[in-house]
Amino acid sequence: MSRSLARFSFAERAAHWMAAISFIYAALTGLSLWSTHLYWLAAVLGGGPTVRWGHPWGGIVFAVVLGFIFLNWAGQMRLDADDRKWLAESHKYAMNEEEGLPEPGRFNAGQKMLFWVQSACTLLLFASGFVLWWPAQMPRTLLSAAVLIHPATAIVAIAGILVHVYMGLLVVPGALHGMVRGEVSRGWAAAHHPKWLRETSKR
């Protein structure tokens, strides 16, 4: 029996990294437009005109790629009773103390929650960003709402991604390998996604 286990397909990994790159670009360009204290980011990213042009397109690319991810993963992201119990005790996972937590499948409840939060944020960012892209054509009430919704939602989305990066790099060593190489060791799967390991081994 092979010691490695296929975790993510090439298409899944490509979509993930395209989403990551476009999100980072949209976040950095958006931050540079949001505050004069962060305008130095615009200089790094090509200057004000480039940033103003590139920011909405970066957001569109991210939304399109996340749409692809949503269509492929939504069925696997439904929260069940074990997931709700996992969330209630998620502080143990954050401390890398997973003993006693319900066994997760391919995705744990934290990953599922991130998926739904990012999906909702993307819808709000896309809709409010569309309004801000053509302010002269929009009703004042809608424009005022978009001015508030867009940065507030961006903060939530950025915070979610920072937690995702922290967990993937520092709390669960080996998780990044799965998204880079597409495979993980059976020992890693047994430690972090035992239900998924059992389900996969039956196939």
Side-chain angles (χ1 to χ4, degrees), residues 87-172:
L87 288 170
E89 302 180 41
S90 57
H91 60 281
K92 295 181 180 179
Y93 179 80
M95 300 299 293
N96 208 17
E97 299 172 358
E98 299 179 53
E99 185 176 352
L101 287 174
E103 294 184 342
R106 190 184 187 201
F107 300 103
N108 64 41
Q111 292 167 326
K112 291 179 180 181
M113 284 299 298
L114 176 69
F115 174 87
W116 293 114
V117 168
Q118 290 301 118
S119 296
C121 285
T122 301
L123 284 175
L124 288 172
L125 287 169
F126 187 84
S128 58
F130 184 85
V131 173
L132 294 173
W133 205 355
W134 286 284
Q137 287 76 36
M138 299 297 169
R140 179 172 295 182
T141 302
L142 190 59
L143 184 59
S144 297
V147 168
L148 294 174
I149 291 171
H150 199 75
T153 305
I155 290 171
V156 174
I158 291 170
I161 293 301
L162 289 176
V163 171
H164 178 57
V165 171
Y166 168 74
M167 300 302 290
L169 292 180
L170 300 178
V171 178
V172 187

Side-chain angles (χ1 to χ4, degrees), residues 14-88:
H16 175 274
W17 292 114
M18 287 177 64
I21 292 168
S22 56
F23 181 88
I24 291 170
Y25 179 79
L28 292 178
T29 52
L31 288 170
S32 74
L33 295 170
W34 183 45
S35 170
T36 55
H37 297 294
L38 297 172
Y39 192 70
W40 60 270
L41 286 170
V44 173
L45 296 169
T50 299
V51 162
R52 283 191 293 273
W53 177 88
H55 175 69
W57 287 108
I60 287 173
V61 171
F62 174 72
V64 170
V65 176
L66 193 67
F68 171 82
I69 293 173
F70 185 91
L71 292 174
N72 281 273
W73 283 357
Q76 303 176 56
M77 295 295 180
R78 296 191 181 97
L79 294 166
D80 57 25
D82 282 345
D83 291 324
R84 287 188 283 275
K85 182 179 178 182
W86 191 100
L87 288 170

Side-chain angles (χ1 to χ4, degrees), residues 1-7 86 93 96-106 108 172-175 183-201:
M1 180 181 294
S2 173
R3 293 185 177 181
S4 62
L5 190 66
R7 176 131 177 89
W86 191 100
Y93 179 80
N96 208 17
E97 299 172 358
E98 299 179 53
E99 185 176 352
L101 287 174
E103 294 184 342
R106 190 184 187 201
N108 64 41
V172 187
E183 59 184 31
V184 293
S185 70
R186 290 182 175 272
W188 183 92
H192 301 290
H193 297 269
K195 186 189 295 184
W196 172 66
L197 174 61
R198 288 197 303 274
E199 293 169 349
T200 304
S201 299

